Amino acid sequence: MPFEIVRNDIVKMEVDAIVNTANPKPVVGTGVDTAIHKAAGPELLKAREKIGELKVCEAVATPAFDLPARYVIHVVGPAWVDENTVEEEMLARSYRAALDVAAKEKCKSIAFPLLSTGNYGFPKKLSMRIALDVFSKFLMEHEMQIYLTVFGEEAFKLSNTLFRSVQAYIDENYVSEKTAEEYGVDEAAYHVGSTNLSPRMKARRKEQREYAAEYLAEAIEEDAAVLGAPSPVKPAPSAGKESLSDMMDKMDASFSDTLMALIDATGEKPSTIYHKACVSKQVFSKINSNSHYQPLKATAIAFCLALELDLEEAQELLARAGFTLSKSSLSDVIIMYCIENKIYNVMMVNEMLFEYDLAQIGSK
């Protein structure tokens, strides 16, 4: 996907460019700066000394030397001193300056740390929000793979209000569903020896009985063939049974055809929608050129968000690709929460999924 949050040490990222939170002067600073210089070797500091002093929001590129990247992009972020919007705007300019240098160097991939969150004091959550906003706007105009690297389990958290809201939704939907699935009963009615099965579980048991009967019939037929006895006579197909050709003629529109119709209905350019979905141009081209293309579920969900579909519409589009959102999946429950609360920004949704150690959506 064009944007992904990863839990990794930035010096291990195999990308075209990694971003360094540089000191204004050509010296080795602390935190990420120290780690990058140590991994790159002494030649990096020599290259940095040739550049000289940098201004706040200024970014420059040097070779990456011993790092598994082509370039190190050094950018000086602002300090969080007066805690005002000017400093926030300067941080946004710093993120954008690094991206502009990467684009100038024709980089196809770049890895960022959370800028200015070390000694410069920016709250991690605020730097994260600013980064997502800058990345979203940049990816509307450019094709580049952006990684935001987070090192450590406690790097950032959703706001307390949003986290409690998401967790309450999970408890109400996912936990109760999994309890019912585990015990075969509705959670509220569960007690030892209860026969108050949910309709879903009754249907499941009926399917199991039908499967058992079919399996037994096949076993009897196989035994008869081995023993040389005649096989049971199979009933002739009913006169009203449809042929495969008839059934195919009545198929619903494919995911690809439905998606393109929905995009046309928005009045937006297709590129606007697939950028909002964090889906690469290559994947979108495959979907657009092949009406029978089978997307990954994560890709289909990303388009549901980019198109700002409600839950019923999202389920309908997903069904065209053979998927559904289920309360038995924690990831699906979080997606459902976002759709019901009109949180359609794919990067924000991925932030939530990342916090629960779940796979992010978009296209790989």
Side-chain angles (χ1 to χ4, degrees), residues 192-248:
V192 176
S194 172
T195 58
N196 186 20
L197 296 178
S198 67
R200 185 171 62 84
M201 291 305 299
K202 288 180 180 179
R204 181 179 296 179
R205 288 196 175 183
K206 181 182 178 183
E207 290 175 357
Q208 290 173 340
R209 287 196 298 270
E210 291 174 348
Y211 174 81
E214 182 179 350
Y215 179 85
L216 181 60
E218 290 178 353
I220 292 172
E221 184 175 351
E222 289 174 359
D223 288 344
V226 171
L227 296 172
S231 300
V233 178
K234 296 182 180 179
S238 61
K241 189 173 182 179
E242 290 184 307
S243 67
L244 177 59
S245 177
D246 291 337
M247 294 175 69
M248 291 179 68

Side-chain angles (χ1 to χ4, degrees), residues 176-359:
S176 60
E177 180 74 9
K178 295 301 284 186
T179 301
E181 185 176 286
E182 178 73 18
Y183 296 108
V185 297
D186 293 326
E187 183 182 14
Y190 174 73
H191 62 273
V192 176
S194 172
T195 58
N196 186 20
L197 296 178
S198 67
R200 185 171 62 84
M201 291 305 299
K202 288 180 180 179
R204 181 179 296 179
R205 288 196 175 183
K206 181 182 178 183
E207 290 175 357
Q208 290 173 340
R209 287 196 298 270
E210 291 174 348
Y211 174 81
E214 182 179 350
Y215 179 85
L216 181 60
E218 290 178 353
I220 292 172
E221 184 175 351
E222 289 174 359
D223 288 344
V226 171
L227 296 172
S231 300
V233 178
K234 296 182 180 179
S238 61
K241 189 173 182 179
E242 290 184 307
S243 67
L244 177 59
S245 177
D246 291 337
M247 294 175 69
M248 291 179 68
D249 289 341
K250 295 180 180 180
M251 283 178 62
D252 291 333
S254 68
F255 171 84
S256 175
D257 292 339
T258 304
L259 175 63
M260 299 312 298
L262 288 170
I263 292 176
D264 287 343
T266 67
E268 300 275 5
K269 295 180 180 178
S271 59
T272 299
I273 300 300
Y274 71 71
H275 280 138
K276 287 174 65 177
C278 275
V279 170
S280 67
K281 182 179 181 180
Q282 292 77 7
V283 170
F284 180 77
S285 296
K286 291 178 181 178
I287 296 173
N288 189 25
S289 61
N290 181 2
S291 62
H292 300 296
Y293 181 83
Q294 179 64 34
L296 297 174
K297 183 175 180 179
T299 302
I301 289 173
F303 277 114
C304 291
L305 294 171
L307 291 164
E308 300 187 4
L309 305 181
D310 63 29
L311 191 54
E312 183 178 353
E313 292 168 336
Q315 292 282 29
E316 174 67 20
L317 179 58
L318 288 171
R320 301 298 172 96
F323 304 119
T324 188
L325 293 173
S326 167
K327 291 183 179 180
S328 294
S329 163
L330 179 56
S331 178
D332 285 0
V333 168
I334 292 174
I335 299 298
M336 292 164 72
Y337 169 87
C338 292
I339 291 174
E340 290 187 1
N341 288 276
K342 301 186 184 305
I343 300 173
Y344 293 121
N345 186 304
V346 171
M347 293 188 183
M348 290 183 62
V349 175
N350 278 338
E351 180 187 350
M352 293 185 194
L353 294 170
F354 179 82
E355 293 224 19
Y356 285 91
D357 288 321
L358 299 169

Side-chain angles (χ1 to χ4, degrees), residues 29-40:
T30 59
V32 173
D33 196 17
T34 299
I36 289 177
H37 276 275
K38 183 178 179 180

Side-chain angles (χ1 to χ4, degrees), residues 151-172:
F151 194 53
E153 295 289 334
E154 69 296 332
F156 59 89
K157 279 290 180 188
L158 294 168
S159 68
N160 289 335
T161 301
L162 180 56
F163 185 83
R164 286 196 300 269
S165 180
V166 174
Q167 191 59 53
Y169 188 89
I170 290 171
D171 291 343
E172 181 180 350

